[in-house]
Amino acid sequence: MAEASEVLMSVLSTIRVPRPGDRVHKDECALSFATPESEGGLYVCMNTFLGFGSQYVDRHYKKTGQRAYLHISRTRKTQKEDDNGSGSGDPPKKKPTRLAIGIEGGFDVEQEHYEEEVKVVILPDRLEVTSEDLATMPDVVRERVSLSMAGLMAADSVSHTLQVQQWDGEVRQESKHAADLKQLDNGIKIPPSGWKCEVCDLQENLWMNLTDGKVLCGRRYFDGSGGNNHALLHYQQTGYPLAVKLGTITPDGADVYSYDEDDMVLDAKLPEHLAHFGIDMMTMEKTERTMTELEIAVNQRVGEWEVIQESGATLRPLSGPGLTGMKNLGNSCYLNSVMQVLFTVPDFQRKYVSNIEKIFDDAPADPTQDFKTQVAKLGYGLLSGEYSKPAPDPGDDPSLTPEPRGDQVGIAPRMFKALIGRGHPEFSTNRQQDAQEYLLHFINMVERNCRSGQNPSEAFRFLVEERIVCQQSLKAKYTQRVDYIVQVPVPMDQATNTEELQEAEHRREEAEAAGAPPPPMPRACIPFSACLAALSEPETLTDFWSSAVQAKTTASKTTRFASFPDHLVIQIKKFTFGLDWVPKKLDVSIDMPDTLDLSALRGTGQQPGEELLPEVAPPPLVTPDVEVKAPVLDDSTVSQLCEMGFPLEACRKAVYYTGNTGIDAAMNWVMGHMDDADFSAPLVLPSCSSTPGTTPTEAVSEEHLATIVSMGFSRDQATRALRATSNVLERAVDWIFSHLDDLESMEVSEGGRSAGESEGNREPPPGPRVRDGPGKYELFAFISHMGTSTMCGHYVCHIKKDQQ
């Protein structure tokens, strides 16, 4: 131990004790998905607090010179079930009673069934020092190392902090409608039992509206169970906001839902509101599971595969390279589905997996915060097969309690999810998200981080040609724009089973009139060819400003492909808005063809003999004073849009870009820009201070500068972006990508040359790089959203590999 003592003394100055706020990565390797449970355990640097698997710890030592690491190794305990259903010698594990994490009664997140071994390892010779060895060493060494070890073990890991922060799903807010709720004097009195839906006679999942006393069934869940949506439909027809779940009423309270606020809420006047309809809260007993209990039951279910299409089939689990599963981190199925498909695209494999050694070598000091490193780590994890090995057969060793036979370890992309979602109002949460929006968000990040070198998102990038013909002058205008996704409309009037749908609707109306349960509705069958035809149909523009006639007139717009990408992403637009602006999902069946020929949709450009519209700008909608730094927005229009459920910043942009011209114009802007990647990003206003020569001289963050420069921009460009956005990094990045043309022409000195020399030698900035193919495609993957609602459900991806 004398040698170990001397070595520790030599590195003592590099050993740190974690302080509050330090990021401790003790659950996952920064460069792989190794954990303390993996073979070889996890090495945590006692200076940077970064974790590394056994295959990468030497790389970190050689790069940084850090020698002291805390080695954490966990092995699963042998669990022999006793009569209490607990592990041998342990008290029975309590079932969760609260929809919460990290608090009494909530879901348990501790690793209870592992034996843990901790020791200090000194590189490069991997000299091991245990706690017992430390006891024999000089006081100065023992105290410093022991404090660091204890601090590291006591600290919350970053993954724990990000994924399972103390969270209580039962904390509810007082409804804004409760204090002044309108209740009708209609004479209705509700009996203490024997309830049924007034529309369909359902006798469970019943809700009583607290305004008019109507008893109606709840929502239909994404797996087909639950109610028939009659309580929700009643709210949409009447606007009466609050309902109480019958069967959950006790002297302590009840489940109250606010349709307007779209959440479970508190009602301080609940006893009074119930008494209005003859319900004495103090005498009621609970007969139904509360919504919290139902959610807990769902979260306890081991297999979410029970509710997908193949739940009744016998499936053979696969494993090996390219067949690695991803763990659901709580509503992360949208992320998992998108990334599984993306890493079957050769461009992403070449950029991030084939190039992984160089990416790791070039990684910054903290690779957990580096986009390329974390994408490469995920890609290698999915494709290498290292985490896709079948679990051992229980018959091999009866003393083991392995995963169910055929399952694989898989990967949990916690570090990746945290980095990609950082700063985003939706993707940084554990809520369900839209897969298409996430794909665009991820492509946007790829674009930002591939300013130089190979850009894999080019595999999806294509040019759209829009041809607008003024119906008065018959002159045309051609524009091109870049896109990554083809959004195909669903023409409901083109269903091939119209007669069946009409008969079913007639039966439903008869059942409704007779007070009987509604019969199941068949699904509309829409040919994919009809969807393509709807995509290519001319669109009529009623308020087109024609430069030829110098006035507003009618025009027709046709959209075609100016180029065809290598891989075509198609989104079937099954999510829409009802007449009441409530988002809904179309219940349709569309047979996708295995092959697709879109060559007939290629744009042809200006036709022989066709005259073009003059290049004259239309008159501005508003002429604000250039000195005004923030326009005055119509708050009432912004509020109306927000009440429809759109993000605040999107509503502000809608009002700003339509020049305060009213709700109709703003609503049209919203509907036309909902699919923009920056739809809900903050409104960034042009300012006189951002023009050349008038840039303010306040200091900018060096850290923010370094981040933007690492994306391939110059220091001058990064500085200008930060000053134009008040030093806010996320806004600066959005600003810089929306001002690329201005930045390309900046008269700044580069590389020691004068501004004049630089300008004279600069080539014109190239347009977006797009590939062009024949427009013929073969289906290789699809992502399905399962569920009837836009706000919940489950995403699953299917991928064709080796013709399977």
Side-chain angles (χ1 to χ4, degrees):
M1 280 301 101
E3 180 189 359
S5 179
E6 290 176 9
V7 173
L8 277 174
M9 181 66 78
S10 66
V11 300
L12 202 60
S13 61
T14 67
I15 295 177
R16 296 172 52 221
V17 178
R19 294 173 297 185
D22 280 339
R23 299 166 58 88
V24 177
H25 297 273
K26 63 177 183 179
D27 283 340
E28 182 182 343
C29 172
L31 302 178
S32 74
F33 291 94
T35 68
E37 294 87 54
S38 303
E39 183 178 351
L42 193 72
Y43 295 80
V44 181
C45 174
M46 299 179 78
N47 178 268
T48 63
F49 309 138
L50 293 169
F52 297 93
S54 57
Q55 69 183 112
Y56 288 113
V57 65
D58 287 306
R59 177 193 293 262
H60 184 252
Y61 156 69
K62 291 173 183 175
K63 190 169 184 177
T64 64
Q66 299 297 336
R67 298 182 64 191
Y69 294 83
L70 184 68
H71 182 253
I72 307 173
S73 177
R74 297 193 195 115
T75 53
R76 189 190 295 266
K77 289 182 182 178
T78 301
Q79 296 180 35
K80 296 179 181 177
E81 297 298 317
D82 57 23
D83 293 339
N84 290 324
S86 67
S88 177
D90 293 327
K93 189 174 181 179
K94 292 181 180 179
K95 289 186 176 181
T97 58
R98 290 181 65 83
L99 186 66
I101 294 174
I103 66 174
E104 181 64 29
F107 284 86
D108 191 3
V109 296
E110 300 303 319
Q111 302 286 352
E112 292 186 338
H113 302 294
Y114 289 93
E115 292 179 348
E116 195 167 63
E117 181 184 351
V118 179
K119 58 193 173 189
V120 175
V121 175
I122 309 297
L123 265 63
D125 300 324
R126 302 214 177 194
L127 188 65
E128 297 181 357
V129 181
T130 65
S131 298
E132 291 76 15
D133 297 331
L134 279 175
T136 64
M137 294 186 178
D139 292 348
V140 63
V141 174
R142 183 180 67 252
E143 289 178 9
R144 181 62 170 266
V145 176
S146 297
L147 280 173
S148 179
M149 290 176 69
L152 285 170
M153 296 310 297
D156 271 343
S157 67
V158 171
S159 62
H160 182 282
T161 304
L162 289 170
Q163 294 298 325
V164 291
Q165 293 172 339
Q166 187 178 89
W167 170 76
D168 192 343
E170 295 180 44
V171 173
R172 296 172 183 172
Q173 303 299 319
E174 180 75 14
S175 171
K176 64 183 180 182
H177 302 288
D180 302 310
L181 183 70
K182 176 184 177 183
Q183 290 193 288
L184 305 183
D185 291 320
N186 52 14
I188 289 179
K189 299 298 177 186
I190 305 298
S193 60
W195 315 293
K196 63 180 180 181
C197 175
E198 295 181 26
V199 176
C200 67
D201 287 344
L202 202 67
Q203 296 181 17
E204 59 184 15
N205 191 17
L206 299 175
W207 297 76
M208 184 192 78
N209 192 286
L210 288 172
T211 294
D212 61 5
K214 288 279 188 183
V215 176
L216 300 162
C217 61
R219 302 181 194 232
R220 184 180 293 116
Y221 303 140
F222 72 94
D223 61 356
S225 62
N228 292 312
N229 294 324
H230 289 136
L232 173 62
L233 292 171
H234 182 64
Y235 159 70
Q236 292 170 354
Q237 293 163 1
T238 63
Y240 300 155
L242 299 185
V244 62
K245 186 176 185 185
L246 296 176
T248 68
I249 303 171
T250 69
D252 297 322
D255 275 358
V256 179
Y257 189 83
S258 171
Y259 289 102
D260 177 51
E261 295 158 288
D262 196 21
D263 206 352
M264 302 298 296
V265 295
L266 296 177
D267 177 3
K269 292 187 174 182
L270 184 60
E272 175 186 327
H273 292 154
L274 292 173
H276 181 85
F277 297 108
I279 299 176
D280 183 357
M281 205 169 146
M282 302 309 293
T283 63
M284 297 296 289
E285 293 184 0
K286 180 172 169 292
T287 59
E288 281 250 328
R289 287 197 290 180
T290 65
M291 298 306 291
T292 295
E293 290 167 340
L294 288 170
E295 289 195 59
I296 289 173
V298 169
N299 279 286
Q300 281 186 289
R301 283 203 334 217
V302 175
E304 61 196 9
W305 298 103
E306 297 169 12
V307 295
I308 72 167
Q309 294 96 325
E310 296 141 313
S311 58
T314 302
L315 300 178
R316 181 171 59 88
L318 298 176
S319 57
L323 298 170
T324 305
M326 295 171 73
K327 295 178 181 176
N328 195 333
L329 304 177
N331 288 330
S332 66
C333 50
Y334 67 93
L335 177 154
N336 294 0
S337 298
V338 168
M339 299 314 300
Q340 286 279 17
V341 173
L342 282 183
F343 272 107
T344 62
V345 176
D347 293 77
F348 282 86
Q349 295 175 356
R350 286 192 295 268
K351 172 72 176 182
Y352 295 110
V353 181
S354 303
N355 209 21
I356 192 168
E357 288 301 317
K358 184 176 189 312
I359 290 174
F360 283 1
D361 285 341
D362 295 343
D366 185 356
T368 69
Q369 302 300 299
D370 182 59
F371 178 82
K372 291 179 183 176
T373 301
Q374 292 309 309
V375 178
K377 167 184 163 179
L378 178 69
Y380 183 80
L382 289 174
L383 300 177
S384 66
E386 282 188 20
Y387 310 97
S388 181
K389 299 169 184 174
D393 190 321
D396 296 342
D397 186 347
S399 67
L400 295 176
T401 57
E403 304 284 335
R405 184 176 182 181
D407 281 7
Q408 49 172 270
V409 175
I411 58 177
R414 292 187 180 91
M415 205 174 280
F416 174 84
K417 181 177 183 292
L419 180 63
I420 304 303
R422 186 178 63 189
H424 192 281
E426 292 298 330
F427 299 130
S428 60
T429 72
N430 283 338
R431 294 191 294 269
Q432 178 65 284
Q433 304 299 337
D434 184 85
Q436 178 254 356
E437 290 179 6
Y438 184 78
L439 172 61
L440 288 176
H441 172 69
F442 182 74
I443 286 177
N444 191 26
M445 295 196 72
V446 172
E447 292 280 4
R448 294 178 178 187
N449 286 275
C450 294
R451 288 270 297 166
S452 57
Q454 183 184 355
N455 185 343
S457 65
E458 290 176 11
F460 305 124
R461 189 190 297 158
F462 60 95
L463 288 176
V464 177
E465 176 189 283
E466 291 184 344
R467 176 177 179 260
I468 299 177
V469 178
C470 167
Q471 295 300 290
Q472 196 166 333
S473 67
L474 297 182
K475 294 182 179 181
K477 174 184 179 182
Y478 288 87
T479 57
Q480 286 189 347
R481 59 178 171 82
V482 173
D483 215 331
Y484 296 87
I485 294 179
V486 179
Q487 294 185 312
V488 178
V490 180
M492 297 297 290
D493 58 347
Q494 298 295 311
T496 57
N497 58 338
T498 306
E499 290 184 6
E500 180 188 11
L501 293 171
Q502 290 173 344
E503 290 175 8
E505 179 62 23
H506 182 64
R507 290 195 302 270
R508 188 191 67 80
E509 291 174 354
E510 289 179 341
E512 190 172 311
M521 290 290 291
R523 182 169 283 168
C525 298
I526 314 290
F528 183 70
S529 57
C531 299
L532 280 183
L535 174 70
S536 59
E537 282 181 356
E539 176 187 354
T540 300
L541 307 178
T542 54
D543 279 334
F544 176 72
W545 191 86
S546 170
S547 58
V549 299
Q550 290 290 301
K552 284 188 176 182
T553 183
T554 303
S556 68
K557 182 175 83 170
T558 52
T559 303
R560 293 291 185 268
F561 289 89
S563 68
F564 288 109
D566 291 350
H567 292 78
L568 184 69
V569 183
I570 293 178
Q571 181 199 16
I572 306 292
K573 296 184 71 174
K574 296 174 90 173
F575 293 107
T576 184
F577 285 89
L579 295 175
D580 52 5
W581 295 109
V582 174
K584 65 178 184 178
K585 182 180 177 184
L586 299 176
D587 189 20
V588 296
S589 174
I590 300 174
D591 282 335
M592 290 296 296
D594 286 327
T595 59
L596 193 59
D597 186 349
L598 298 179
S599 55
L601 294 181
R602 182 183 286 277
T604 54
Q606 184 178 358
Q607 302 299 300
E610 184 177 52
E611 285 191 65
L612 297 181
L613 284 164
E615 291 289 337
V616 179
L621 285 172
V622 287
T623 54
D625 187 342
V626 292
E627 295 300 320
V628 178
K629 295 185 177 179
V632 178
L633 300 179
D634 183 349
D635 290 336
S636 64
T637 307
V638 174
S639 299
Q640 288 181 67
L641 291 173
C642 286
E643 288 170 3
M644 294 177 188
F646 299 112
L648 172 61
E649 288 298 332
C651 300
R652 295 183 71 238
K653 283 196 277 192
V655 175
Y656 172 72
Y657 287 120
T658 55
N660 287 329
T661 53
I663 185 66
D664 290 339
M667 192 68 236
N668 289 334
W669 188 95
V670 167
M671 301 309 292
H673 292 78
M674 283 183 64
D675 300 315
D676 294 356
D678 62 347
F679 178 64
S680 56
L683 171 62
V684 180
L685 302 171
S687 168
C688 60
S689 64
S690 64
T691 56
T694 59
T695 305
T697 56
E698 68 268 17
V700 296
S701 163
E702 283 296 327
E703 183 180 351
H704 293 351
L705 270 176
T707 300
I708 297 176
V709 169
S710 71
M711 296 178 183
F713 296 97
S714 71
R715 186 178 177 87
D716 300 271
Q717 293 168 334
T719 301
R720 181 175 171 187
L722 286 166
R723 285 178 175 164
T725 54
S726 304
N727 246 332
V728 179
L729 177 61
E730 287 77 14
R731 288 179 55 200
V733 173
D734 286 333
W735 187 94
I736 204 168
F737 278 96
S738 62
H739 292 76
L740 287 177
D741 292 340
D742 296 338
L743 294 172
E744 292 288 355
S745 60
M746 277 181 64
E747 293 189 8
V748 294
S749 299
E750 299 178 16
R753 296 174 296 173
S754 69
E757 291 171 337
S758 179
E759 183 67 31
N761 295 327
R762 184 187 292 119
E763 295 180 3
R769 289 183 54 182
V770 291
R771 306 169 190 173
D772 195 8
K776 298 179 180 180
Y777 298 95
E778 179 182 352
L779 183 67
F780 81 97
F782 59 91
I783 296 175
S784 313
H785 175 268
M786 298 160 46
T788 58
S789 167
T790 59
M791 305 305 293
C792 64
H794 185 58
Y795 282 103
V796 180
C797 71
H798 291 76
I799 303 171
K800 182 188 287 186
K801 294 186 178 181
D802 301 325
Q803 297 306 306
Q804 296 183 63

